Amino acid sequence: MGESSAAATPEDLKTTPLHGLHLELGARMVPFAGYDMPVQYPKGVLGEHVHTREAAGLFDVSHMGQARLKGPDHETVAAALEALAPGNFKGLGAGRQVYSLLLTDKGTIVDDFMVARPAAPEEEGSLLLVVNAACKEKDYAYIAARLPENVTLEPLEDLALLALQGPRAGDVLARHARQAAEMIFMDARRGTFDGIACHLTRAGYTGEDGFEISVAADKAEAVARALLAHEEVEPIGLGARDSLRLEAGLCLYGHDIDETTTPVEAALNWAIPKRRREEGGFPGTETILDQLKNGAPSKRVGILPDGKAPAREGTEIFSTSGEKLGVVTSGGFGPSVGRPIAMGYVQTGASDVSTEVVLMVRGKERPAHVAPLPFVAQRYYRGKK
């Protein structure tokens, strides 16, 4: 991206292929998962958040890990991954993707990740993985060490990843990639963006309709500039990405889920489909199936502080009688909700919606109550009604 972008970055931080563009756009950069990343642009976190909910926001998520799991056929590759995660990968249709969880032998979460089965016949026998930036080296080592000899993991280091999110995302992207108009939530397709080869998925972590565009690193800036040329699209930094996913009730690895939490505690039961519950065969099966049947000791819940003071990560949660119930794992101001919002873990007995709790915010007791998730309705595109 040129000498100027390298000079502006501390030597120990990596950069994405869009680093120079972030600087050109006036981004405020911060260290994140070992990368120099934009936390906000001149529009500001609030403006970026609102714009994404109303139109379309462009996110650089190139720091995330992209990899290919490859074997002789789909059944073999899917079986290898099913030994590590509780997803129904054998039943995953061509051109579809699914959210899943890498698990430890204790049934706790190594990472959450996306798994896509390519639609193209020539890619049969491969699965495409997207893992979290801070976990990718750990994830790759964990997976590779547990694969059968005829299945291999190939990190795809020469790719960038962009996310276009918001109610106008589909309209905008279809002007450059016609196949986008034919896709619904959790579809995955090879295609072209203004003649540039890419892989598209329709999902996202804002709760809005949106797409991820995987493209060669040296083509990423051309794709980003083409999208930003539309008045509907604004660049969005990590600040708004965090408030958007919090409103959508979505977990951030290392905060809301980690190797101390199980999928059941994290209220991610839906990520364990019926066949896997019946057959087992994933790490921590015994623990997880027991929790599904009998309940877990704690549960991730939404929390609404009654006042205007936000409850940040680490805020302790108490019962109205003074018993320690748990801790806030994500919290802040929800611009679309117009009030402070939070997520955290409480003892299961205190997890019912409307349960009154007390938050210890800066040494002061603040009233709050358990609330349903998400805080903002998710608007994924599942096809015309």
Side-chain angles (χ1 to χ4, degrees):
M1 300 298 294
E3 293 181 20
S4 60
S5 62
T9 307
E11 291 182 8
D12 58 340
L13 290 179
K14 300 175 184 177
T15 59
T16 74
L18 297 181
H19 189 262
L21 180 59
H22 297 316
L23 298 179
E24 178 185 321
L25 294 171
R28 181 161 72 85
M29 309 296 287
V30 298
F32 181 81
Y35 285 79
D36 197 36
M37 296 292 291
V39 68
Q40 67 178 75
Y41 298 87
K43 195 177 188 74
V45 173
L46 177 60
E48 293 169 27
H49 178 112
V50 172
H51 186 88
T52 303
R53 289 269 185 252
E54 294 179 347
L58 183 65
F59 302 75
D60 180 9
V61 288
S62 302
H63 57 313
M64 298 185 76
Q66 300 183 69
R68 182 193 307 276
L69 202 60
K70 190 164 179 59
D73 52 55
H74 175 70
E75 185 78 11
T76 302
V77 174
L81 194 56
E82 286 193 1
L84 305 177
N88 179 18
F89 308 119
K90 291 180 182 178
L92 185 61
R96 295 287 289 167
Q97 72 167 355
V98 66
Y99 171 90
S100 195
L101 304 158
L102 281 176
L103 298 175
T104 70
D105 291 335
K106 296 179 180 179
T108 59
I109 302 170
V110 175
D111 196 10
D112 59 342
F113 69 131
M114 302 298 295
V115 181
R117 181 181 178 184
E122 61 269 24
E123 292 187 86
E124 183 67 9
S126 67
L127 293 172
L128 301 175
L129 314 182
V130 178
V131 303
N132 283 303
C135 303
K136 57 186 174 183
E137 301 306 327
K138 175 187 75 169
D139 290 354
Y140 294 160
Y142 180 87
I143 295 170
R146 291 163 175 79
L147 292 176
E149 290 185 3
N150 59 349
V151 178
T152 57
L153 179 71
E154 176 193 1
L156 303 173
E157 306 286 4
D158 57 347
L159 295 177
L161 192 64
L162 308 180
L164 185 67
Q165 297 282 297
R168 300 300 303 276
D171 293 340
V172 170
L173 186 56
R175 298 170 200 167
H176 301 272
R178 285 185 300 173
Q179 63 276 10
E182 304 164 2
M183 298 170 64
I184 62 172
F185 182 56
M186 289 302 209
D187 271 353
R189 297 281 187 278
R190 291 281 175 201
T192 58
F193 181 105
D194 293 345
I196 299 169
C198 63
H199 186 259
L200 303 175
T201 51
R202 193 163 194 168
Y205 232 56
T206 61
E208 299 292 336
D209 181 26
F211 296 81
E212 294 76 44
I213 308 162
S214 177
V215 64
D218 61 357
K219 303 294 185 183
E221 187 172 330
V223 171
R225 289 187 184 277
L227 291 171
L228 290 169
H230 297 283
E231 64 178 1
E232 299 100 322
V233 182
E234 291 280 350
I236 312 296
L238 293 171
R241 184 171 181 238
D242 194 51
S243 56
L244 287 159
R245 69 93 193 165
L246 175 56
E247 285 187 342
L250 300 171
C251 296
L252 178 63
Y253 191 84
H255 300 262
D256 308 294
I257 51 176
D258 56 30
E259 291 193 24
T260 69
T261 52
T262 69
V264 182
E265 290 173 323
L268 296 173
N269 304 21
W270 55 268
I272 310 173
K274 182 181 178 182
R275 179 177 69 81
R276 301 308 311 277
R277 297 185 189 203
E278 293 173 349
E279 297 179 6
F282 50 85
T285 293
E286 187 175 337
T287 296
I288 290 171
L289 293 184
D290 178 70
Q291 290 186 353
L292 284 170
K293 181 180 180 180
N294 301 311
S298 63
K299 183 180 178 182
R300 178 176 63 96
V301 296
I303 298 165
L304 284 177
D306 291 346
K308 295 182 178 180
R312 305 291 182 185
E313 178 179 358
T315 299
E316 293 184 319
I317 306 168
F318 293 86
S319 69
T320 53
S321 61
E323 180 189 5
K324 173 78 179 291
L325 297 176
V327 66
V328 169
T329 52
S330 288
F333 183 76
S336 303
V337 186
R339 61 180 295 173
I341 57 175
M343 292 193 300
Y345 285 81
V346 297
Q347 294 176 16
T348 299
S351 64
D352 289 346
V353 169
S354 300
T355 299
E356 293 184 2
V357 296
V358 175
L359 304 175
M360 191 61 68
V361 180
R362 298 197 188 103
K364 292 186 177 181
E365 294 185 355
R366 304 283 189 181
H369 60 277
V370 175
L373 293 172
F375 297 105
V376 171
Q378 296 169 348
R379 299 194 289 182
Y380 305 124
Y381 180 72
R382 303 179 188 275
K384 293 180 179 179
K385 296 179 180 178

Short mmCIF file of all heavy atoms in Angstrom, two decimals, residues 81-87 101-110 142 146 259 261-265 272 276-293 295-296:
data_model
loop_
_atom_site.label_atom_id
_atom_site.label_comp_id
_atom_site.label_asym_id
_atom_site.label_seq_id
_atom_site.Cartn_x
_atom_site.Cartn_y
_atom_site.Cartn_z
N LEU A 81 -14.55 -32.50 10.13
CA LEU A 81 -14.90 -31.28 10.86
C LEU A 81 -15.95 -31.56 11.93
O LEU A 81 -15.95 -30.93 12.99
CB LEU A 81 -15.39 -30.20 9.89
CG LEU A 81 -15.48 -28.78 10.45
CD1 LEU A 81 -14.14 -28.32 11.03
CD2 LEU A 81 -15.94 -27.80 9.38
N GLU A 82 -16.81 -32.54 11.68
CA GLU A 82 -17.83 -32.89 12.68
C GLU A 82 -17.19 -33.49 13.94
O GLU A 82 -17.81 -33.50 15.01
CB GLU A 82 -18.87 -33.85 12.10
CG GLU A 82 -19.82 -33.16 11.14
CD GLU A 82 -21.04 -34.00 10.79
OE1 GLU A 82 -21.16 -35.13 11.31
OE2 GLU A 82 -21.88 -33.51 10.01
N ALA A 83 -15.95 -33.98 13.83
CA ALA A 83 -15.24 -34.49 15.00
C ALA A 83 -14.70 -33.36 15.87
O ALA A 83 -14.24 -33.60 16.99
CB ALA A 83 -14.09 -35.40 14.56
N LEU A 84 -14.77 -32.12 15.36
CA LEU A 84 -14.22 -30.96 16.07
C LEU A 84 -15.28 -29.93 16.46
O LEU A 84 -15.05 -29.09 17.32
CB LEU A 84 -13.17 -30.27 15.20
CG LEU A 84 -12.01 -31.13 14.69
CD1 LEU A 84 -11.12 -30.31 13.78
CD2 LEU A 84 -11.23 -31.71 15.85
N ALA A 85 -16.43 -29.99 15.81
CA ALA A 85 -17.47 -28.97 16.00
C ALA A 85 -18.84 -29.63 15.84
O ALA A 85 -18.98 -30.62 15.13
CB ALA A 85 -17.29 -27.85 14.98
N PRO A 86 -19.89 -29.08 16.48
CA PRO A 86 -21.20 -29.75 16.49
C PRO A 86 -22.12 -29.40 15.33
O PRO A 86 -23.32 -29.63 15.42
CB PRO A 86 -21.79 -29.27 17.82
CG PRO A 86 -21.25 -27.88 17.97
CD PRO A 86 -19.85 -27.93 17.40
N GLY A 87 -21.59 -28.86 14.24
CA GLY A 87 -22.42 -28.51 13.10
C GLY A 87 -22.79 -29.72 12.26
O GLY A 87 -22.11 -30.75 12.28
N LEU A 101 -19.05 -23.90 16.04
CA LEU A 101 -18.17 -23.67 17.19
C LEU A 101 -17.12 -24.76 17.27
O LEU A 101 -17.45 -25.95 17.29
CB LEU A 101 -19.00 -23.69 18.48
CG LEU A 101 -20.16 -22.70 18.54
CD1 LEU A 101 -21.19 -23.15 19.56
CD2 LEU A 101 -19.66 -21.29 18.86
N LEU A 102 -15.84 -24.38 17.30
CA LEU A 102 -14.78 -25.33 17.62
C LEU A 102 -14.80 -25.57 19.12
O LEU A 102 -14.88 -24.60 19.89
CB LEU A 102 -13.41 -24.76 17.21
CG LEU A 102 -13.02 -24.83 15.75
CD1 LEU A 102 -11.68 -24.11 15.55
CD2 LEU A 102 -12.92 -26.26 15.26
N LEU A 103 -14.74 -26.83 19.53
CA LEU A 103 -14.91 -27.15 20.95
C LEU A 103 -13.69 -27.85 21.54
O LEU A 103 -12.99 -28.60 20.85
CB LEU A 103 -16.12 -28.06 21.13
CG LEU A 103 -17.48 -27.48 20.71
CD1 LEU A 103 -18.56 -28.54 20.82
CD2 LEU A 103 -17.83 -26.26 21.55
N THR A 104 -13.46 -27.62 22.83
CA THR A 104 -12.46 -28.37 23.58
C THR A 104 -13.08 -29.69 24.05
O THR A 104 -14.29 -29.89 23.97
CB THR A 104 -12.00 -27.60 24.83
OG1 THR A 104 -13.09 -27.57 25.78
CG2 THR A 104 -11.58 -26.18 24.49
N ASP A 105 -12.25 -30.57 24.58
CA ASP A 105 -12.76 -31.85 25.09
C ASP A 105 -13.68 -31.66 26.30
O ASP A 105 -14.43 -32.55 26.66
CB ASP A 105 -11.59 -32.76 25.46
CG ASP A 105 -10.83 -33.24 24.25
OD1 ASP A 105 -11.43 -33.29 23.15
OD2 ASP A 105 -9.63 -33.56 24.37
N LYS A 106 -13.63 -30.47 26.91
CA LYS A 106 -14.51 -30.16 28.03
C LYS A 106 -15.85 -29.59 27.56
O LYS A 106 -16.73 -29.32 28.38
CB LYS A 106 -13.84 -29.17 28.97
CG LYS A 106 -12.58 -29.69 29.65
CD LYS A 106 -11.97 -28.63 30.55
CE LYS A 106 -10.71 -29.14 31.23
NZ LYS A 106 -10.09 -28.08 32.09
N GLY A 107 -15.97 -29.38 26.24
CA GLY A 107 -17.21 -28.82 25.71
C GLY A 107 -17.25 -27.31 25.72
O GLY A 107 -18.30 -26.71 25.48
N THR A 108 -16.09 -26.68 25.98
CA THR A 108 -16.04 -25.21 25.94
C THR A 108 -15.56 -24.75 24.56
O THR A 108 -15.14 -25.55 23.72
CB THR A 108 -15.13 -24.67 27.05
OG1 THR A 108 -13.80 -25.20 26.88
CG2 THR A 108 -15.65 -25.05 28.42
N ILE A 109 -15.62 -23.46 24.33
CA ILE A 109 -15.50 -22.92 22.97
C ILE A 109 -14.07 -22.44 22.65
O ILE A 109 -13.58 -21.49 23.26
CB ILE A 109 -16.51 -21.78 22.77
CG1 ILE A 109 -17.94 -22.30 23.03
CG2 ILE A 109 -16.42 -21.20 21.37
CD1 ILE A 109 -18.99 -21.21 23.10
N VAL A 110 -13.44 -23.09 21.69
CA VAL A 110 -12.13 -22.68 21.19
C VAL A 110 -12.27 -21.42 20.34
O VAL A 110 -11.45 -20.50 20.40
CB VAL A 110 -11.49 -23.80 20.35
CG1 VAL A 110 -10.17 -23.34 19.72
CG2 VAL A 110 -11.27 -25.05 21.20
N TYR A 142 -5.03 -26.19 16.06
CA TYR A 142 -5.99 -27.10 16.71
C TYR A 142 -6.63 -28.02 15.67
O TYR A 142 -6.72 -29.24 15.88
CB TYR A 142 -7.06 -26.27 17.41
CG TYR A 142 -8.12 -27.08 18.12
CD1 TYR A 142 -7.95 -27.51 19.42
CD2 TYR A 142 -9.31 -27.43 17.47
CE1 TYR A 142 -8.91 -28.27 20.07
CE2 TYR A 142 -10.28 -28.18 18.10
CZ TYR A 142 -10.08 -28.59 19.40
OH TYR A 142 -11.04 -29.35 20.03
N ARG A 146 -5.74 -32.48 14.46
CA ARG A 146 -6.81 -33.46 14.70
C ARG A 146 -7.45 -33.98 13.41
O ARG A 146 -8.49 -34.63 13.46
CB ARG A 146 -7.87 -32.82 15.60
CG ARG A 146 -7.37 -32.60 17.02
CD ARG A 146 -8.24 -31.60 17.78
NE ARG A 146 -7.82 -31.49 19.17
CZ ARG A 146 -6.77 -30.78 19.58
NH1 ARG A 146 -6.04 -30.11 18.70
NH2 ARG A 146 -6.45 -30.72 20.87
N GLU A 259 -12.88 -20.21 26.19
CA GLU A 259 -12.66 -21.59 26.61
C GLU A 259 -13.14 -21.87 28.03
O GLU A 259 -12.88 -22.94 28.58
CB GLU A 259 -11.18 -21.97 26.43
CG GLU A 259 -10.78 -22.06 24.97
CD GLU A 259 -9.43 -22.72 24.75
OE1 GLU A 259 -9.00 -23.51 25.61
OE2 GLU A 259 -8.82 -22.46 23.70
N THR A 261 -16.55 -21.11 28.56
CA THR A 261 -18.00 -21.14 28.36
C THR A 261 -18.39 -22.26 27.40
O THR A 261 -17.69 -22.53 26.43
CB THR A 261 -18.51 -19.80 27.78
OG1 THR A 261 -17.74 -19.47 26.61
CG2 THR A 261 -18.37 -18.69 28.79
N THR A 262 -19.53 -22.89 27.67
CA THR A 262 -20.06 -23.91 26.77
C THR A 262 -21.10 -23.27 25.86
O THR A 262 -21.63 -22.18 26.16
CB THR A 262 -20.74 -25.05 27.55
OG1 THR A 262 -21.94 -24.54 28.16
CG2 THR A 262 -19.82 -25.62 28.63
N PRO A 263 -21.45 -23.94 24.75
CA PRO A 263 -22.51 -23.40 23.89
C PRO A 263 -23.84 -23.22 24.61
O PRO A 263 -24.59 -22.28 24.31
CB PRO A 263 -22.63 -24.47 22.79
CG PRO A 263 -21.30 -25.13 22.75
CD PRO A 263 -20.82 -25.14 24.18
N VAL A 264 -24.15 -24.10 25.56
CA VAL A 264 -25.42 -24.00 26.28
C VAL A 264 -25.40 -22.78 27.20
O VAL A 264 -26.38 -22.02 27.27
CB VAL A 264 -25.72 -25.29 27.06
CG1 VAL A 264 -27.07 -25.19 27.77
CG2 VAL A 264 -25.70 -26.49 26.12
N GLU A 265 -24.31 -22.59 27.92
CA GLU A 265 -24.19 -21.39 28.76
C GLU A 265 -24.29 -20.13 27.92
O GLU A 265 -24.86 -19.12 28.36
CB GLU A 265 -22.86 -21.43 29.52
CG GLU A 265 -22.80 -22.48 30.61
CD GLU A 265 -21.41 -22.60 31.22
OE1 GLU A 265 -20.41 -22.48 30.49
OE2 GLU A 265 -21.34 -22.81 32.44
N ILE A 272 -26.35 -26.31 17.61
CA ILE A 272 -26.20 -27.77 17.71
C ILE A 272 -27.47 -28.40 17.17
O ILE A 272 -28.46 -28.54 17.88
CB ILE A 272 -25.96 -28.20 19.18
CG1 ILE A 272 -24.84 -27.38 19.80
CG2 ILE A 272 -25.62 -29.69 19.24
CD1 ILE A 272 -24.65 -27.62 21.29
N ARG A 276 -26.87 -33.93 15.37
CA ARG A 276 -25.67 -33.96 16.21
C ARG A 276 -26.02 -34.22 17.67
O ARG A 276 -25.26 -34.83 18.41
CB ARG A 276 -24.86 -32.67 16.07
CG ARG A 276 -24.39 -32.33 14.66
CD ARG A 276 -23.64 -33.47 13.96
NE ARG A 276 -22.60 -34.09 14.75
CZ ARG A 276 -21.35 -33.63 14.89
NH1 ARG A 276 -20.99 -32.50 14.29
NH2 ARG A 276 -20.46 -34.29 15.60
N ARG A 277 -27.18 -33.74 18.11
CA ARG A 277 -27.62 -34.02 19.48
C ARG A 277 -27.91 -35.52 19.65
O ARG A 277 -27.64 -36.09 20.70
CB ARG A 277 -28.88 -33.21 19.81
CG ARG A 277 -28.67 -31.71 19.80
CD ARG A 277 -29.91 -30.97 20.24
NE ARG A 277 -29.77 -29.53 20.02
CZ ARG A 277 -30.44 -28.60 20.67
NH1 ARG A 277 -31.32 -28.96 21.59
NH2 ARG A 277 -30.27 -27.33 20.41
N GLU A 278 -28.45 -36.11 18.59
CA GLU A 278 -28.80 -37.53 18.65
C GLU A 278 -27.57 -38.43 18.52
O GLU A 278 -27.45 -39.44 19.21
CB GLU A 278 -29.80 -37.85 17.54
CG GLU A 278 -31.16 -37.20 17.75
CD GLU A 278 -32.09 -37.40 16.57
OE1 GLU A 278 -31.61 -37.86 15.50
OE2 GLU A 278 -33.28 -37.08 16.71
N GLU A 279 -26.63 -38.05 17.62
CA GLU A 279 -25.48 -38.90 17.33
C GLU A 279 -24.25 -38.55 18.17
O GLU A 279 -23.40 -39.41 18.40
CB GLU A 279 -25.12 -38.78 15.84
CG GLU A 279 -26.21 -39.28 14.91
CD GLU A 279 -25.82 -39.13 13.45
OE1 GLU A 279 -24.66 -38.73 13.17
OE2 GLU A 279 -26.67 -39.39 12.58
N GLY A 280 -24.13 -37.31 18.63
CA GLY A 280 -22.93 -36.90 19.37
C GLY A 280 -21.71 -36.92 18.47
O GLY A 280 -21.78 -36.63 17.28
N GLY A 281 -20.57 -37.29 19.06
CA GLY A 281 -19.36 -37.41 18.26
C GLY A 281 -18.55 -36.14 18.14
O GLY A 281 -17.56 -36.10 17.41
N PHE A 282 -18.91 -35.09 18.88
CA PHE A 282 -18.13 -33.86 18.90
C PHE A 282 -17.48 -33.71 20.27
O PHE A 282 -17.91 -34.33 21.24
CB PHE A 282 -19.01 -32.64 18.57
CG PHE A 282 -20.29 -32.56 19.36
CD1 PHE A 282 -20.32 -31.98 20.62
CD2 PHE A 282 -21.48 -33.05 18.83
CE1 PHE A 282 -21.49 -31.90 21.35
CE2 PHE A 282 -22.67 -32.98 19.55
CZ PHE A 282 -22.67 -32.40 20.82
N PRO A 283 -16.42 -32.92 20.39
CA PRO A 283 -15.74 -32.78 21.69
C PRO A 283 -16.69 -32.29 22.77
O PRO A 283 -17.51 -31.40 22.53
CB PRO A 283 -14.65 -31.73 21.39
CG PRO A 283 -14.39 -31.85 19.93
CD PRO A 283 -15.73 -32.16 19.32
N GLY A 284 -16.58 -32.87 23.93
CA GLY A 284 -17.42 -32.45 25.06
C GLY A 284 -18.87 -32.86 24.93
O GLY A 284 -19.74 -32.29 25.59
N THR A 285 -19.14 -33.88 24.11
CA THR A 285 -20.52 -34.32 23.88
C THR A 285 -21.27 -34.57 25.18
O THR A 285 -22.40 -34.09 25.37
CB THR A 285 -20.56 -35.61 23.02
OG1 THR A 285 -20.09 -35.31 21.70
CG2 THR A 285 -21.97 -36.16 22.93
N GLU A 286 -20.64 -35.30 26.10
CA GLU A 286 -21.33 -35.68 27.33
C GLU A 286 -21.75 -34.46 28.14
O GLU A 286 -22.89 -34.35 28.60
CB GLU A 286 -20.41 -36.58 28.16
CG GLU A 286 -21.08 -37.17 29.39
CD GLU A 286 -20.19 -38.15 30.14
OE1 GLU A 286 -19.25 -38.71 29.52
OE2 GLU A 286 -20.42 -38.35 31.34
N THR A 287 -20.82 -33.52 28.29
CA THR A 287 -21.12 -32.29 29.06
C THR A 287 -22.23 -31.49 28.40
O THR A 287 -23.18 -31.03 29.06
CB THR A 287 -19.85 -31.42 29.17
OG1 THR A 287 -18.87 -32.14 29.91
CG2 THR A 287 -20.15 -30.10 29.87
N ILE A 288 -22.11 -31.30 27.09
CA ILE A 288 -23.07 -30.45 26.38
C ILE A 288 -24.46 -31.08 26.34
O ILE A 288 -25.47 -30.40 26.57
CB ILE A 288 -22.55 -30.14 24.96
CG1 ILE A 288 -21.34 -29.21 25.06
CG2 ILE A 288 -23.63 -29.51 24.10
CD1 ILE A 288 -20.59 -28.99 23.77
N LEU A 289 -24.54 -32.38 26.07
CA LEU A 289 -25.85 -33.03 26.05
C LEU A 289 -26.51 -33.01 27.43
O LEU A 289 -27.73 -32.87 27.55
CB LEU A 289 -25.73 -34.46 25.53
CG LEU A 289 -25.32 -34.62 24.06
CD1 LEU A 289 -25.33 -36.08 23.66
CD2 LEU A 289 -26.22 -33.80 23.14
N ASP A 290 -25.69 -33.15 28.48
CA ASP A 290 -26.23 -33.07 29.84
C ASP A 290 -26.79 -31.68 30.12
O ASP A 290 -27.87 -31.55 30.70
CB ASP A 290 -25.13 -33.41 30.86
CG ASP A 290 -25.64 -33.29 32.29
OD1 ASP A 290 -26.45 -34.14 32.70
OD2 ASP A 290 -25.24 -32.33 32.98
N GLN A 291 -26.06 -30.65 29.67
CA GLN A 291 -26.55 -29.28 29.88
C GLN A 291 -27.80 -29.00 29.06
O GLN A 291 -28.70 -28.28 29.51
CB GLN A 291 -25.45 -28.27 29.57
CG GLN A 291 -24.31 -28.27 30.57
CD GLN A 291 -23.31 -27.16 30.33
OE1 GLN A 291 -23.37 -26.45 29.33
NE2 GLN A 291 -22.36 -27.02 31.24
N LEU A 292 -27.87 -29.54 27.84
CA LEU A 292 -29.06 -29.36 27.02
C LEU A 292 -30.28 -29.98 27.70
O LEU A 292 -31.39 -29.44 27.64
CB LEU A 292 -28.86 -29.99 25.64
CG LEU A 292 -27.98 -29.21 24.66
CD1 LEU A 292 -27.67 -30.07 23.44
CD2 LEU A 292 -28.68 -27.91 24.23
N LYS A 293 -30.06 -31.10 28.38
CA LYS A 293 -31.17 -31.80 29.04
C LYS A 293 -31.51 -31.21 30.39
O LYS A 293 -32.70 -31.02 30.73
CB LYS A 293 -30.80 -33.29 29.20
CG LYS A 293 -31.90 -34.12 29.84
CD LYS A 293 -31.47 -35.58 29.97
CE LYS A 293 -32.56 -36.42 30.62
NZ LYS A 293 -32.15 -37.86 30.75
N GLY A 295 -29.92 -28.35 31.92
CA GLY A 295 -29.59 -26.95 32.15
C GLY A 295 -28.13 -26.75 32.53
O GLY A 295 -27.47 -27.67 33.00
N ALA A 296 -27.63 -25.55 32.30
CA ALA A 296 -26.26 -25.19 32.64
C ALA A 296 -26.26 -24.30 33.89
O ALA A 296 -27.29 -23.71 34.22
CB ALA A 296 -25.61 -24.45 31.47
#
